[in-house]
């Protein structure tokens, strides 16, 4: 029988120690005698979307790893660069991994100086899935769909603002993507995080924004915010009647908050194979699938080779958008 102990360590990195005890009997042969814990670095703060996802999946990941322990460590800062720097500088032994998202491949186009190569200095293990983004407005905005919003913004571009969780973030670029597709130029208001952004959207300080769907489900149900459309190419189960922005006449709008497990560069192929299989198995377990469904996450793991190509394509795509939007961060 396998026991899994979970305890919280109260220090500023919000580390979570997830200790998996060795299996007994024949199953114990799957665990090497010298196994050490895997350090799973999250370049985001506690309570963020990626953090919530990995904490929900961690117990199942331990099982899929045959009882090998996993330590989840939050290292936010500099748009994810702080945590990613730890991942890329770690030994290529499979004991330090990380979970990165869109910002990882956006940063090279946004920051004037980068301490590492966002693609060349990592080994993608799998792009696990994505969280839907939704375009929302304050209810006082007289638009109920994307075409009506476009007409409103064209008629009075100085009368509205769109919010983001920070300058150069994927939320910022997602908003810019819609504005470009709609052919409008609307003032951008950056915030320090999603929480303050949503608060001011509800109060009407800003009128428009793109946000991860789980972050505004309560506000949409209460009517505090109105959904205009899903930013990706796929509708979501909880809002089956809400069309995508692409369906509403803007086919180039396609963005979601994807997340991927990565390691440092030159991770041995055998280790990549082992870790990929474990992550896929963990996210296929009923407990994880239930948690992901509640969070509206769409799970569709990619092979390591496909994940690498995805990283390259995404970096190129966002580079073009960053250039058009004129976004730079010192």
């Amino acid at each position: 029988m396998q026991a899994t102990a979970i305890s919280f360590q109260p220090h500023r990195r919000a580390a979570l120690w997830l200790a998996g005890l060795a299996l007994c009997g024949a199953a114990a042969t799957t665990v090497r005698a010298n196994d050490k814990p895997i350090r799973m670095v999250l370049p985001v703060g506690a309570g963020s979307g990626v953090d919530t996802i990995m904490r929900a999946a961690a117990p199942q990941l331990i099982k899929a790893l045959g009882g090998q322990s996993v330590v989840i460590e939050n290292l936010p800062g500099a748009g994810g660069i702080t945590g990613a720097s730890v991942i890329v500088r770690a030994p290529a032994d499979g004991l330090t991994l990380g979970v990165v998202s869109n910002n990882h491949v956006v940063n090279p186009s946004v920051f004037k100086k980068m301490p590492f190569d966002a693609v060349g200095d990592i080994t993608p293990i799998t792009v696990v899935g994505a969280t839907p983004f939704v375009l929302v407005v304050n209810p006082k905005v007289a638009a109920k769909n994307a075409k009506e919003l476009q007409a409103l913004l064209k008629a009075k571009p100085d009368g509205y603002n769109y919010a983001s969780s920070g300058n150069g973030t994927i939320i910022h670029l997602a908003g810019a993507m819609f504005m470009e597709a709609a052919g409008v130029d609307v003032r951008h208001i950056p915030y320090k995080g999603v929480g303050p952004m949503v608060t001011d959207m509800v109060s009407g300080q800003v009128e428009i924004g793109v946000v991860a769907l789980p972050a505004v489900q309560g506000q949409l149900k209460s009517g505090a915010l109105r959904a205009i459309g899903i930013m990706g190419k796929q509708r979501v189960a909880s809002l089956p009647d809400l069309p995508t922005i692409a369906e509403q006449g803007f086919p180039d709008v396609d963005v979601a908050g994807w997340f991927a497990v990565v390691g440092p560069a030159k991770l041995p192929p055998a280790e990549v194979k082992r870790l990929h299989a474990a992550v896929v198995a963990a996210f296929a377990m009923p407990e994880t699938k239930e948690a992901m469904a509640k969070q509206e996450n769409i799970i569709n793991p990619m092979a390591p080779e496909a994940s690498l190509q995805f990283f390259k394509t995404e970096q190129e795509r966002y580079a073009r958008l960053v250039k058009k939007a004129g976004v730079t961060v010192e």
Side-chain angles (χ1 to χ4, degrees):
M1 180 178 294
Q2 177 180 330
T4 303
I6 301 178
S7 61
F8 290 87
Q9 295 181 358
H11 74 73
R12 64 186 181 87
R13 288 181 176 177
L16 171 64
W17 179 270
L18 298 168
L21 300 181
L23 298 175
C24 63
T29 59
T30 63
V31 183
R32 296 186 300 271
N34 62 344
D35 267 348
K36 297 179 180 179
I38 291 177
R39 181 189 187 191
M40 187 71 74
V41 176
L42 308 187
V44 293
S48 64
V50 168
D51 177 75
T52 302
I53 289 166
M54 288 311 300
R55 291 179 189 277
Q60 287 67 252
L61 181 57
I62 290 172
K63 293 178 184 178
L65 288 166
Q68 185 176 8
S69 302
V70 176
V71 179
I72 296 181
E73 186 173 0
N74 298 88
L75 292 176
I81 293 175
T82 300
S85 295
V86 172
I87 300 168
V88 302
R89 292 169 184 164
D93 55 11
L95 294 178
T96 300
L97 305 176
V99 182
V100 299
S101 56
N102 308 61
N103 284 343
H104 183 77
V105 293
V106 170
N107 286 336
S109 299
V110 171
F111 287 86
K112 292 184 177 180
K113 292 183 180 180
M114 284 286 292
F116 54 82
D117 184 330
V119 176
D121 288 342
I122 63 166
T123 299
I125 293 166
T126 180
V127 177
V128 182
T131 302
F133 285 162
V134 60
L135 177 63
V136 297
V137 297
N138 181 278
K140 72 179 182 181
V141 176
K144 294 185 178 179
N145 58 55
K147 285 293 187 181
E148 289 181 0
L149 183 59
Q150 178 189 38
L152 201 64
L153 297 178
K154 283 190 171 183
K156 196 177 180 182
D158 294 334
Y160 301 92
N161 302 313
Y162 80 92
S164 82
S165 56
N167 194 37
T169 63
I170 187 58
I171 295 293
H172 176 193
L173 295 183
M177 183 183 292
F178 172 75
M179 299 305 167
E180 180 190 7
V184 296
D185 187 11
V186 180
R187 187 184 302 110
H188 168 233
I189 307 296
Y191 283 80
K192 292 183 178 179
V194 172
M197 165 191 167
V198 172
T199 297
D200 275 10
M201 287 193 67
V202 170
S203 69
Q205 297 299 310
V206 288
E207 298 86 6
I208 307 164
V210 174
V211 67
L213 179 56
V216 290
Q217 284 177 320
Q219 290 83 354
L220 295 178
K221 288 179 180 178
S222 69
L225 293 174
R226 178 189 302 134
I228 296 296
I230 298 297
M231 294 291 288
K233 290 291 179 70
Q234 183 177 334
R235 294 194 186 195
V236 300
S238 65
L239 298 170
D241 296 327
L242 180 66
T244 67
I245 299 298
E247 286 180 282
Q248 297 181 58
F250 304 93
D252 293 334
V253 174
D254 180 17
V255 61
W258 55 261
F259 50 99
V261 178
V262 303
K266 300 180 180 179
L267 202 60
E271 190 67 4
V272 174
K273 182 178 180 180
R274 180 183 83 93
L275 294 168
H276 177 266
V279 174
V280 171
F283 277 89
M285 291 181 186
E287 303 94 325
T288 314
K289 291 174 72 173
E290 182 180 357
M292 296 303 103
K294 288 181 180 178
Q295 299 171 25
E296 296 286 357
N297 297 312
I298 300 167
I299 305 302
N300 186 25
M302 295 184 188
E305 298 80 8
S307 298
L308 176 59
Q309 186 56 50
F310 179 83
F311 269 69
K312 293 177 179 178
T313 301
E314 285 287 274
Q315 183 167 311
E316 293 169 359
R317 181 165 79 114
Y318 291 130
R320 291 191 293 269
L321 187 58
V322 166
K323 185 175 181 180
K324 289 180 180 178
V327 180
T328 57
V329 178
E330 297 293 337

